[in-house]
């Protein structure tokens, strides 16, 4: 299967920890990447590979993977973390990209 | 500073054609896989196509295969997407994105600001 499944919406209290998950068969073979997108803006890479953060991404963002599930964890969520989050990986052929449907994170 | 700047979007009738461009600067363009990703209004991200550094490999999502063509001109540091036989469902913001690795990792570390394509009569 080339699909990645995400929960449509998740909420978290300010300062608490939230985990956003992404499921798909291709995740057994390929690491996911995670993107944050705020309204009217281009996506921003926040996690890639096993658990790597690009320069400038706060260390409260972390990633993990087990079996067919990849997870993005935000430890101590801030108001500015409210956004849509997308996972991405390759399909089973390894040649095509595929995105999850996205998770809207609300920080209460 | 790495920059990706898309252009060429606009309003086109169903069945029409459009060519998108992405001007790259601030990095060695010829060293990276490049991709196009689109986002329909109010919807999620959809990977569209990618191309190897020398253009020798190109891949497409099934819904655009045979209608869209990705290409690049390394001398001009530019990426292109030729879109033919456009349909209403192709309406989206189109982003160009750079692959983080020298191989096709699917990890996109830089994105352009996007260009809007609207297919409507």
């Amino acid at each position: 299967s080339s699909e990645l499944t995400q929960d449509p919406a998740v909420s978290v209290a300010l300062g608490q920890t939230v985990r956003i998950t992404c499921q798909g068969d291709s995740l057994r073979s390929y690491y996911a990447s995670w993107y944050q997108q705020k309204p009217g803006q281009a996506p921003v890479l926040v996690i890639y590979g096993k658990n790597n953060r690009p320069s400038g991404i706060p260390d409260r963002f972390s990633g993990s993977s087990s079996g067919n599930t990849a997870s993005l964890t935000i430890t101590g969520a801030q108001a500015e973390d409210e956004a849509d989050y997308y996972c991405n990986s390759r399909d089973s052929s390894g040649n095509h990209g595929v995105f999850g449907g996205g998770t809207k994170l609300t920080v209460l | 500073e790495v920059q990706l700047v898309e252009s060429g979007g606009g309003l086109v009738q169903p069945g029409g054609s459009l060519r998108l461009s992405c001007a790259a600067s601030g990095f060695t363009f010829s060293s990276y896989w490049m991709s196009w990703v689109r986002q329909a209004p109010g919807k999620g991200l959809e990977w569209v196509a990618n191309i190897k550094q020398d253009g020798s490999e190109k891949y497409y999502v099934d819904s655009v295969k045979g209608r869209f063509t990705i290409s690049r001109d390394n001398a001009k540091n530019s990426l292109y997407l030729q879109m033919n036989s456009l349909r209403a469902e192709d309406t989206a913001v189109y982003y160009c994105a750079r692959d983080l690795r020298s191989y096709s990792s699917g990890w996109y570390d830089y994105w352009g600001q996007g260009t809007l394509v609207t297919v409507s009569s």
Side-chain angles (χ1 to χ4, degrees), chain A residues 30-67:
Chain A
Y30 302 106
Y31 284 115
S33 53
W34 290 92
Y35 303 85
Q36 177 192 70
Q37 188 180 36
K38 297 180 179 179
Q41 298 183 17
V44 172
L45 178 67
V46 295
I47 290 289
Y48 66 94
K50 191 171 183 179
N51 181 19
N52 300 291
R53 281 178 290 106
S55 174
I57 301 301
D59 61 5
R60 62 179 180 270
F61 289 89
S62 63
S64 62
S65 184
S66 177

mmCIF file of all heavy atoms in Angstrom, chain A residues 30-67:
data_model
loop_
_atom_site.group_PDB
_atom_site.id
_atom_site.type_symbol
_atom_site.label_atom_id
_atom_site.label_comp_id
_atom_site.label_asym_id
_atom_site.label_seq_id
_atom_site.Cartn_x
_atom_site.Cartn_y
_atom_site.Cartn_z
ATOM 1 N N TYR A 30 10.925 2.523 5.027
ATOM 2 C CA TYR A 30 11.477 3.870 4.881
ATOM 3 C C TYR A 30 11.111 4.744 6.080
ATOM 4 O O TYR A 30 9.989 4.684 6.589
ATOM 5 C CB TYR A 30 10.939 4.534 3.611
ATOM 6 C CG TYR A 30 11.234 3.764 2.349
ATOM 7 C CD1 TYR A 30 10.227 3.054 1.701
ATOM 8 C CD2 TYR A 30 12.516 3.743 1.805
ATOM 9 C CE1 TYR A 30 10.501 2.351 0.549
ATOM 10 C CE2 TYR A 30 12.792 3.028 0.649
ATOM 11 C CZ TYR A 30 11.781 2.334 0.033
ATOM 12 O OH TYR A 30 12.047 1.627 -1.107
ATOM 13 N N TYR A 31 12.069 5.560 6.504
ATOM 14 C CA TYR A 31 11.779 6.527 7.549
ATOM 15 C C TYR A 31 10.893 7.647 7.002
ATOM 16 O O TYR A 31 10.987 8.026 5.835
ATOM 17 C CB TYR A 31 13.070 7.147 8.086
ATOM 18 C CG TYR A 31 13.845 6.239 9.006
ATOM 19 C CD1 TYR A 31 15.107 5.765 8.653
ATOM 20 C CD2 TYR A 31 13.325 5.851 10.241
ATOM 21 C CE1 TYR A 31 15.824 4.951 9.493
ATOM 22 C CE2 TYR A 31 14.040 5.032 11.093
ATOM 23 C CZ TYR A 31 15.288 4.578 10.723
ATOM 24 O OH TYR A 31 15.999 3.761 11.551
ATOM 25 N N ALA A 32 10.077 8.172 7.880
ATOM 26 C CA ALA A 32 9.215 9.288 7.503
ATOM 27 C C ALA A 32 9.927 10.622 7.705
ATOM 28 O O ALA A 32 10.973 10.693 8.358
ATOM 29 C CB ALA A 32 7.940 9.277 8.357
ATOM 30 N N SER A 33 9.358 11.651 7.138
ATOM 31 C CA SER A 33 9.706 13.022 7.484
ATOM 32 C C SER A 33 8.405 13.707 7.913
ATOM 33 O O SER A 33 7.311 13.248 7.561
ATOM 34 C CB SER A 33 10.361 13.768 6.318
ATOM 35 O OG SER A 33 9.565 13.683 5.141
ATOM 36 N N TRP A 34 8.539 14.746 8.694
ATOM 37 C CA TRP A 34 7.382 15.465 9.228
ATOM 38 C C TRP A 34 7.487 16.951 8.879
ATOM 39 O O TRP A 34 8.566 17.541 8.952
ATOM 40 C CB TRP A 34 7.312 15.308 10.746
ATOM 41 C CG TRP A 34 6.940 13.933 11.191
ATOM 42 C CD1 TRP A 34 7.782 12.905 11.484
ATOM 43 C CD2 TRP A 34 5.610 13.430 11.404
ATOM 44 N NE1 TRP A 34 7.067 11.797 11.870
ATOM 45 C CE2 TRP A 34 5.719 12.092 11.834
ATOM 46 C CE3 TRP A 34 4.327 13.989 11.281
ATOM 47 C CZ2 TRP A 34 4.622 11.306 12.131
ATOM 48 C CZ3 TRP A 34 3.231 13.207 11.579
ATOM 49 C CH2 TRP A 34 3.381 11.878 11.997
ATOM 50 N N TYR A 35 6.342 17.534 8.530
ATOM 51 C CA TYR A 35 6.281 18.927 8.117
ATOM 52 C C TYR A 35 5.218 19.659 8.909
ATOM 53 O O TYR A 35 4.135 19.123 9.156
ATOM 54 C CB TYR A 35 5.968 19.034 6.611
ATOM 55 C CG TYR A 35 6.985 18.289 5.793
ATOM 56 C CD1 TYR A 35 6.837 16.931 5.561
ATOM 57 C CD2 TYR A 35 8.117 18.928 5.309
ATOM 58 C CE1 TYR A 35 7.796 16.223 4.867
ATOM 59 C CE2 TYR A 35 9.081 18.235 4.603
ATOM 60 C CZ TYR A 35 8.912 16.874 4.395
ATOM 61 O OH TYR A 35 9.864 16.171 3.711
ATOM 62 N N GLN A 36 5.560 20.880 9.287
ATOM 63 C CA GLN A 36 4.625 21.767 9.948
ATOM 64 C C GLN A 36 4.171 22.809 8.925
ATOM 65 O O GLN A 36 4.997 23.397 8.229
ATOM 66 C CB GLN A 36 5.315 22.487 11.113
ATOM 67 C CG GLN A 36 4.459 23.503 11.848
ATOM 68 C CD GLN A 36 5.312 24.365 12.775
ATOM 69 O OE1 GLN A 36 6.095 25.194 12.330
ATOM 70 N NE2 GLN A 36 5.159 24.162 14.075
ATOM 71 N N GLN A 37 2.868 23.032 8.843
ATOM 72 C CA GLN A 37 2.372 24.043 7.927
ATOM 73 C C GLN A 37 1.350 24.937 8.631
ATOM 74 O O GLN A 37 0.354 24.459 9.155
ATOM 75 C CB GLN A 37 1.732 23.429 6.686
ATOM 76 C CG GLN A 37 1.369 24.473 5.626
ATOM 77 C CD GLN A 37 0.725 23.879 4.397
ATOM 78 O OE1 GLN A 37 -0.035 22.918 4.489
ATOM 79 N NE2 GLN A 37 1.022 24.451 3.233
ATOM 80 N N LYS A 38 1.634 26.217 8.634
ATOM 81 C CA LYS A 38 0.711 27.203 9.183
ATOM 82 C C LYS A 38 -0.058 27.850 8.040
ATOM 83 O O LYS A 38 0.399 27.844 6.899
ATOM 84 C CB LYS A 38 1.480 28.228 10.013
ATOM 85 C CG LYS A 38 2.156 27.591 11.229
ATOM 86 C CD LYS A 38 2.917 28.582 12.069
ATOM 87 C CE LYS A 38 3.542 27.870 13.268
ATOM 88 N NZ LYS A 38 4.321 28.790 14.126
ATOM 89 N N PRO A 39 -1.237 28.404 8.327
ATOM 90 C CA PRO A 39 -2.087 28.952 7.259
ATOM 91 C C PRO A 39 -1.363 29.943 6.364
ATOM 92 O O PRO A 39 -0.681 30.861 6.853
ATOM 93 C CB PRO A 39 -3.220 29.628 8.035
ATOM 94 C CG PRO A 39 -3.306 28.854 9.305
ATOM 95 C CD PRO A 39 -1.884 28.498 9.640
ATOM 96 N N GLY A 40 -1.481 29.729 5.059
ATOM 97 C CA GLY A 40 -0.897 30.641 4.088
ATOM 98 C C GLY A 40 0.598 30.516 3.908
ATOM 99 O O GLY A 40 1.197 31.324 3.183
ATOM 100 N N GLN A 41 1.200 29.523 4.545
ATOM 101 C CA GLN A 41 2.647 29.367 4.465
ATOM 102 C C GLN A 41 3.027 28.035 3.842
ATOM 103 O O GLN A 41 2.237 27.095 3.808
ATOM 104 C CB GLN A 41 3.270 29.472 5.859
ATOM 105 C CG GLN A 41 3.055 30.811 6.531
ATOM 106 C CD GLN A 41 3.756 30.898 7.876
ATOM 107 O OE1 GLN A 41 4.644 30.109 8.200
ATOM 108 N NE2 GLN A 41 3.377 31.889 8.675
ATOM 109 N N ALA A 42 4.253 27.975 3.340
ATOM 110 C CA ALA A 42 4.780 26.718 2.826
ATOM 111 C C ALA A 42 5.100 25.784 3.992
ATOM 112 O O ALA A 42 5.339 26.226 5.111
ATOM 113 C CB ALA A 42 6.038 26.984 2.002
ATOM 114 N N PRO A 43 5.106 24.499 3.723
ATOM 115 C CA PRO A 43 5.485 23.535 4.778
ATOM 116 C C PRO A 43 6.925 23.749 5.220
ATOM 117 O O PRO A 43 7.773 24.213 4.452
ATOM 118 C CB PRO A 43 5.322 22.177 4.082
ATOM 119 C CG PRO A 43 4.375 22.431 2.956
ATOM 120 C CD PRO A 43 4.695 23.816 2.491
ATOM 121 N N VAL A 44 7.185 23.362 6.473
ATOM 122 C CA VAL A 44 8.525 23.436 7.050
ATOM 123 C C VAL A 44 8.887 22.057 7.578
ATOM 124 O O VAL A 44 8.115 21.450 8.325
ATOM 125 C CB VAL A 44 8.579 24.465 8.196
ATOM 126 C CG1 VAL A 44 9.929 24.398 8.910
ATOM 127 C CG2 VAL A 44 8.313 25.863 7.666
ATOM 128 N N LEU A 45 10.054 21.568 7.194
ATOM 129 C CA LEU A 45 10.537 20.271 7.674
ATOM 130 C C LEU A 45 10.899 20.383 9.148
ATOM 131 O O LEU A 45 11.684 21.267 9.523
ATOM 132 C CB LEU A 45 11.752 19.852 6.851
ATOM 133 C CG LEU A 45 12.442 18.546 7.223
ATOM 134 C CD1 LEU A 45 11.524 17.350 6.948
ATOM 135 C CD2 LEU A 45 13.760 18.390 6.454
ATOM 136 N N VAL A 46 10.337 19.488 9.978
ATOM 137 C CA VAL A 46 10.665 19.532 11.411
ATOM 138 C C VAL A 46 11.411 18.286 11.884
ATOM 139 O O VAL A 46 12.187 18.359 12.831
ATOM 140 C CB VAL A 46 9.404 19.773 12.283
ATOM 141 C CG1 VAL A 46 8.820 21.153 12.008
ATOM 142 C CG2 VAL A 46 8.360 18.696 12.082
ATOM 143 N N ILE A 47 11.160 17.147 11.241
ATOM 144 C CA ILE A 47 11.840 15.903 11.609
ATOM 145 C C ILE A 47 12.058 15.087 10.336
ATOM 146 O O ILE A 47 11.179 15.022 9.475
ATOM 147 C CB ILE A 47 11.018 15.063 12.607
ATOM 148 C CG1 ILE A 47 10.967 15.745 13.977
ATOM 149 C CG2 ILE A 47 11.587 13.642 12.731
ATOM 150 C CD1 ILE A 47 12.287 15.735 14.737
ATOM 151 N N TYR A 48 13.226 14.444 10.234
ATOM 152 C CA TYR A 48 13.470 13.537 9.120
ATOM 153 C C TYR A 48 14.349 12.383 9.584
ATOM 154 O O TYR A 48 15.086 12.502 10.573
ATOM 155 C CB TYR A 48 14.108 14.262 7.933
ATOM 156 C CG TYR A 48 15.499 14.792 8.190
ATOM 157 C CD1 TYR A 48 16.630 14.053 7.863
ATOM 158 C CD2 TYR A 48 15.685 16.055 8.765
ATOM 159 C CE1 TYR A 48 17.896 14.540 8.104
ATOM 160 C CE2 TYR A 48 16.943 16.561 9.003
ATOM 161 C CZ TYR A 48 18.049 15.796 8.679
ATOM 162 O OH TYR A 48 19.314 16.300 8.919
ATOM 163 N N GLY A 49 14.225 11.285 8.871
ATOM 164 C CA GLY A 49 15.034 10.125 9.208
ATOM 165 C C GLY A 49 14.630 9.519 10.544
ATOM 166 O O GLY A 49 13.491 9.620 10.986
ATOM 167 N N LYS A 50 15.601 8.906 11.187
ATOM 168 C CA LYS A 50 15.321 8.202 12.443
ATOM 169 C C LYS A 50 14.792 9.183 13.492
ATOM 170 O O LYS A 50 13.819 8.931 14.192
ATOM 171 C CB LYS A 50 16.576 7.502 12.942
ATOM 172 C CG LYS A 50 16.326 6.526 14.093
ATOM 173 C CD LYS A 50 17.573 5.724 14.390
ATOM 174 C CE LYS A 50 17.313 4.689 15.479
ATOM 175 N NZ LYS A 50 18.532 3.877 15.765
ATOM 176 N N ASN A 51 15.472 10.289 13.675
ATOM 177 C CA ASN A 51 15.033 11.350 14.592
ATOM 178 C C ASN A 51 15.981 12.531 14.451
ATOM 179 O O ASN A 51 16.782 12.820 15.346
ATOM 180 C CB ASN A 51 15.024 10.849 16.043
ATOM 181 C CG ASN A 51 14.542 11.906 17.018
ATOM 182 O OD1 ASN A 51 13.890 12.879 16.623
ATOM 183 N ND2 ASN A 51 14.861 11.735 18.280
ATOM 184 N N ASN A 52 15.901 13.198 13.319
ATOM 185 C CA ASN A 52 16.795 14.315 13.029
ATOM 186 C C ASN A 52 16.006 15.613 12.880
ATOM 187 O O ASN A 52 14.957 15.621 12.241
ATOM 188 C CB ASN A 52 17.576 14.065 11.737
ATOM 189 C CG ASN A 52 18.418 12.815 11.804
ATOM 190 O OD1 ASN A 52 19.406 12.751 12.527
ATOM 191 N ND2 ASN A 52 18.031 11.795 11.066
ATOM 192 N N ARG A 53 16.523 16.671 13.486
ATOM 193 C CA ARG A 53 15.896 17.986 13.383
ATOM 194 C C ARG A 53 16.762 18.917 12.546
ATOM 195 O O ARG A 53 17.955 19.048 12.807
ATOM 196 C CB ARG A 53 15.713 18.597 14.771
ATOM 197 C CG ARG A 53 14.538 18.087 15.554
ATOM 198 C CD ARG A 53 14.469 18.730 16.935
ATOM 199 N NE ARG A 53 15.555 18.267 17.801
ATOM 200 C CZ ARG A 53 16.607 18.993 18.137
ATOM 201 N NH1 ARG A 53 16.732 20.236 17.682
ATOM 202 N NH2 ARG A 53 17.542 18.491 18.914
ATOM 203 N N PRO A 54 16.169 19.560 11.549
ATOM 204 C CA PRO A 54 16.940 20.578 10.818
ATOM 205 C C PRO A 54 17.340 21.710 11.755
ATOM 206 O O PRO A 54 16.729 21.913 12.804
ATOM 207 C CB PRO A 54 15.942 21.071 9.761
ATOM 208 C CG PRO A 54 14.926 19.988 9.645
ATOM 209 C CD PRO A 54 14.817 19.395 11.018
ATOM 210 N N SER A 55 18.336 22.450 11.342
ATOM 211 C CA SER A 55 18.773 23.600 12.111
ATOM 212 C C SER A 55 17.615 24.575 12.320
ATOM 213 O O SER A 55 16.851 24.850 11.384
ATOM 214 C CB SER A 55 19.912 24.302 11.368
ATOM 215 O OG SER A 55 20.278 25.496 12.005
ATOM 216 N N GLY A 56 17.473 25.046 13.560
ATOM 217 C CA GLY A 56 16.430 26.016 13.847
ATOM 218 C C GLY A 56 15.140 25.436 14.380
ATOM 219 O O GLY A 56 14.267 26.177 14.852
ATOM 220 N N ILE A 57 15.005 24.103 14.317
ATOM 221 C CA ILE A 57 13.807 23.462 14.855
ATOM 222 C C ILE A 57 14.021 23.185 16.344
ATOM 223 O O ILE A 57 15.016 22.557 16.717
ATOM 224 C CB ILE A 57 13.486 22.161 14.100
ATOM 225 C CG1 ILE A 57 13.271 22.455 12.610
ATOM 226 C CG2 ILE A 57 12.273 21.476 14.716
ATOM 227 C CD1 ILE A 57 12.159 23.437 12.313
ATOM 228 N N PRO A 58 13.109 23.619 17.205
ATOM 229 C CA PRO A 58 13.297 23.435 18.650
ATOM 230 C C PRO A 58 13.404 21.964 19.038
ATOM 231 O O PRO A 58 12.789 21.104 18.399
ATOM 232 C CB PRO A 58 12.026 24.061 19.249
ATOM 233 C CG PRO A 58 11.538 25.002 18.209
ATOM 234 C CD PRO A 58 11.888 24.384 16.891
ATOM 235 N N ASP A 59 14.131 21.697 20.096
ATOM 236 C CA ASP A 59 14.337 20.307 20.498
ATOM 237 C C ASP A 59 13.124 19.704 21.189
ATOM 238 O O ASP A 59 13.155 18.535 21.581
ATOM 239 C CB ASP A 59 15.585 20.166 21.377
ATOM 240 C CG ASP A 59 15.517 20.964 22.657
ATOM 241 O OD1 ASP A 59 14.454 21.571 22.938
ATOM 242 O OD2 ASP A 59 16.527 21.007 23.388
ATOM 243 N N ARG A 60 12.057 20.455 21.332
ATOM 244 C CA ARG A 60 10.818 19.844 21.846
ATOM 245 C C ARG A 60 10.157 18.946 20.783
ATOM 246 O O ARG A 60 9.249 18.185 21.103
ATOM 247 C CB ARG A 60 9.817 20.911 22.321
ATOM 248 C CG ARG A 60 9.305 21.872 21.268
ATOM 249 C CD ARG A 60 8.300 22.849 21.887
ATOM 250 N NE ARG A 60 7.788 23.800 20.917
ATOM 251 C CZ ARG A 60 8.352 24.969 20.666
ATOM 252 N NH1 ARG A 60 9.451 25.312 21.314
ATOM 253 N NH2 ARG A 60 7.825 25.782 19.762
ATOM 254 N N PHE A 61 10.618 19.044 19.538
ATOM 255 C CA PHE A 61 10.132 18.174 18.463
ATOM 256 C C PHE A 61 11.044 16.941 18.367
ATOM 257 O O PHE A 61 12.263 17.075 18.289
ATOM 258 C CB PHE A 61 10.134 18.903 17.119
ATOM 259 C CG PHE A 61 9.089 19.975 16.993
ATOM 260 C CD1 PHE A 61 9.368 21.277 17.398
ATOM 261 C CD2 PHE A 61 7.827 19.687 16.492
ATOM 262 C CE1 PHE A 61 8.411 22.277 17.295
ATOM 263 C CE2 PHE A 61 6.867 20.686 16.382
ATOM 264 C CZ PHE A 61 7.163 21.977 16.789
ATOM 265 N N SER A 62 10.431 15.774 18.354
ATOM 266 C CA SER A 62 11.202 14.554 18.192
ATOM 267 C C SER A 62 10.400 13.543 17.385
ATOM 268 O O SER A 62 9.178 13.643 17.296
ATOM 269 C CB SER A 62 11.596 13.961 19.548
ATOM 270 O OG SER A 62 10.450 13.584 20.282
ATOM 271 N N GLY A 63 11.105 12.572 16.825
ATOM 272 C CA GLY A 63 10.454 11.564 16.008
ATOM 273 C C GLY A 63 10.843 10.169 16.440
ATOM 274 O O GLY A 63 11.890 9.956 17.050
ATOM 275 N N SER A 64 9.981 9.217 16.127
ATOM 276 C CA SER A 64 10.264 7.815 16.402
ATOM 277 C C SER A 64 9.500 6.972 15.398
ATOM 278 O O SER A 64 8.618 7.462 14.688
ATOM 279 C CB SER A 64 9.883 7.441 17.832
ATOM 280 O OG SER A 64 8.488 7.619 18.041
ATOM 281 N N SER A 65 9.875 5.690 15.365
ATOM 282 C CA SER A 65 9.233 4.795 14.410
ATOM 283 C C SER A 65 9.239 3.383 14.965
ATOM 284 O O SER A 65 10.223 2.952 15.575
ATOM 285 C CB SER A 65 9.956 4.857 13.073
ATOM 286 O OG SER A 65 9.297 4.064 12.104
ATOM 287 N N SER A 66 8.148 2.662 14.741
ATOM 288 C CA SER A 66 8.060 1.275 15.152
ATOM 289 C C SER A 66 7.114 0.551 14.210
ATOM 290 O O SER A 66 5.942 0.953 14.086
ATOM 291 C CB SER A 66 7.555 1.158 16.597
ATOM 292 O OG SER A 66 7.409 -0.194 16.978
ATOM 293 N N GLY A 67 7.613 -0.483 13.554
ATOM 294 C CA GLY A 67 6.773 -1.227 12.621
ATOM 295 C C GLY A 67 6.245 -0.333 11.513
ATOM 296 O O GLY A 67 7.012 0.315 10.807
#
